[in-house]
Amino acid sequence: ESVALGKGNKSEITYQLGTRVAHLIGVNLEGRRDVARQMNHLYTLRSHIVHEGQTGVPSEEMQILYLYCRVALYMLVKSPAFLQMKTNADLDGWFRDRVLAADSPPTISGEI
């Protein structure tokens, strides 16, 4: 949440987080839709835990969350699209451009 959203994004957090992670790790439109849907669900679970004291997140959902976090962070560290970025504003601008563009997500050399 902190890495993908930065400090200044406090409105529509669930939507923004889902959309940003989807653009980081989704391979195509269908993949981004699936990631955004999954992230929205997972963030809702997180909110229930933090704000309502609920417990018992299924291990399958925890594994998905762990995978998404790991891959998103890996993309931010290894993708050439992010290597020259120095500020949160740079990253915010990249995400804003993704929402307006239909081009493909960032790539890296090699495998994860």
Side-chain angles (χ1 to χ4, degrees):
E1 175 185 348
S2 295
V3 172
L5 292 179
K7 298 186 284 188
N9 294 306
K10 297 301 177 207
S11 65
E12 302 175 343
I13 291 175
T14 303
Y15 171 78
Q16 286 189 54
L17 183 61
T19 301
R20 287 179 176 210
V21 172
H23 279 286
L24 283 172
I25 69 176
V27 176
N28 55 31
L29 178 59
E30 190 58 36
R32 288 189 298 272
R33 283 182 180 153
D34 186 49
V35 169
R37 180 187 54 76
Q38 221 21 302
M39 284 301 302
N40 290 343
H41 171 71
L42 293 168
Y43 197 77
T44 298
L45 286 177
R46 173 250 179 230
S47 294
H48 290 307
I49 292 167
V50 171
H51 301 293
E52 299 170 15
Q54 290 186 6
T55 60
V57 177
S59 65
E60 180 180 296
E61 291 179 334
M62 287 302 298
Q63 290 173 0
I64 291 169
L65 181 58
Y66 177 73
L67 174 67
Y68 284 4
C69 288
R70 190 179 62 190
V71 174
L73 290 171
Y74 187 82
M75 292 302 292
L76 288 167
V77 171
K78 293 293 187 177
S79 175
F82 306 109
L83 292 179
Q84 301 302 315
M85 292 185 185
K86 303 285 186 219
T87 66
N88 286 338
D90 294 337
L91 187 59
D92 287 344
W94 186 89
F95 282 120
R96 273 193 307 277
D97 289 348
R98 297 295 75 70
V99 171
L100 299 174
D103 59 349
S104 56
T107 59
I108 54 172
S109 307
E111 297 187 24
I112 296 176

